[in-house]
Amino acid sequence: MLAMVIGPVAWLKPSKRQQRIALLRQQANLKQLHIRLEPEPESSVLSGQKPQLLAYYFTRPDLKVGEKKPTWRLTRAAFEHELNLAGWWQWQEGGETELDSAQLAELISLLEVLPLDIVAVGCAPSGVGLLWRESSKTTLDQVESWLQVLKASY
């Protein structure tokens, strides 16, 4: 009888991964990183299913009226190709014509160090963001530092 009562309660306890993700998101909030759920980009999906991933991003509350910021998005391709930026990254929204050669070189340097669990990088007038699979291989501090580079450069 006691097992019938305790058993369902144990099912309600979050798994280790769920606990890690909850802590990660709390820490992101403390670092003033915004989080939103987005579908995984088509170019990085091999299985045909489109899981929801979290986009971690910084907003630009200090953007001045009339100030122009580039708008672009790159997604990690499922295969390496010479036409992709830094071999793996495909343009999804603008960018190719909005970035000067120095910005493009800096972006390529960043893309070359991003781990496989970062599947998209983007910039818009409202902010900069990364689409992250939240694996334990990448730390929140790393994600924050990459976002700081994006925010400072674009």
Side-chain angles (χ1 to χ4, degrees):
M1 176 74 174
L2 185 60
M4 289 176 56
V5 172
I6 295 175
V9 172
W11 290 340
L12 296 176
K13 184 180 179 205
S15 69
K16 296 270 188 215
R17 182 181 187 283
Q18 290 169 328
Q19 291 173 5
R20 183 184 65 79
I21 296 294
L23 180 61
L24 185 71
R25 293 174 187 171
Q26 287 175 348
Q27 291 169 342
N29 191 29
L30 292 174
K31 293 175 179 277
Q32 298 185 351
L33 290 172
H34 298 272
I35 303 170
R36 81 172 161 251
L37 203 57
E38 289 189 9
E40 185 163 351
E42 293 282 342
S43 62
S44 66
V45 177
L46 297 175
S47 65
Q49 297 178 343
K50 286 184 71 170
Q52 297 285 308
L53 299 178
L54 284 179
Y56 284 74
Y57 63 100
F58 277 126
T59 60
R60 297 187 213 261
D62 55 339
L63 191 65
K64 295 169 183 58
V65 175
E67 186 177 359
K68 183 161 172 24
K69 291 288 184 178
T71 298
W72 51 265
R73 183 176 174 142
L74 288 161
T75 58
R76 186 182 296 276
F79 55 89
E80 186 175 17
H81 193 279
E82 64 188 36
L83 294 178
N84 293 338
L85 193 62
W88 291 93
W89 297 88
Q90 296 176 332
W91 292 105
Q92 299 297 312
E93 298 172 18
E96 306 99 318
T97 59
E98 293 198 36
L99 303 178
D100 62 37
S101 58
Q103 288 176 313
L104 197 55
E106 189 171 353
L107 180 58
I108 289 170
S109 295
L110 176 66
L111 295 174
E112 289 173 340
V113 300
L114 292 179
L116 293 174
D117 59 345
I118 303 291
V119 297
V121 179
C123 178
S126 60
V128 294
L130 298 171
L131 200 55
W132 179 28
R133 287 193 174 119
E134 295 180 313
S135 76
S136 59
K137 297 174 189 161
T138 303
T139 67
L140 184 61
D141 288 337
Q142 289 173 305
V143 169
E144 181 186 25
S145 70
W146 295 321
L147 286 169
Q148 292 286 8
V149 168
L150 287 169
K151 186 177 179 184
S153 301
Y154 308 99

Short mmCIF file of all heavy atoms in Angstrom, two decimals, residues 43 66 109 120:
data_model
loop_
_atom_site.label_atom_id
_atom_site.label_comp_id
_atom_site.label_asym_id
_atom_site.label_seq_id
_atom_site.Cartn_x
_atom_site.Cartn_y
_atom_site.Cartn_z
N SER A 43 18.01 23.59 -41.50
CA SER A 43 19.32 23.17 -42.00
C SER A 43 20.09 22.31 -41.02
O SER A 43 21.01 21.61 -41.40
CB SER A 43 20.16 24.40 -42.36
OG SER A 43 20.38 25.18 -41.22
N GLY A 66 16.62 55.84 -34.94
CA GLY A 66 17.31 56.07 -36.21
C GLY A 66 18.62 55.32 -36.35
O GLY A 66 19.20 55.28 -37.43
N SER A 109 35.60 34.31 -37.24
CA SER A 109 36.42 33.90 -36.09
C SER A 109 35.55 33.35 -34.96
O SER A 109 35.92 32.37 -34.32
CB SER A 109 37.24 35.08 -35.56
OG SER A 109 38.16 35.50 -36.52
N ALA A 120 22.40 28.09 -34.22
CA ALA A 120 22.06 29.31 -34.96
C ALA A 120 22.63 30.52 -34.22
O ALA A 120 22.79 30.50 -33.00
CB ALA A 120 20.55 29.46 -35.12
#
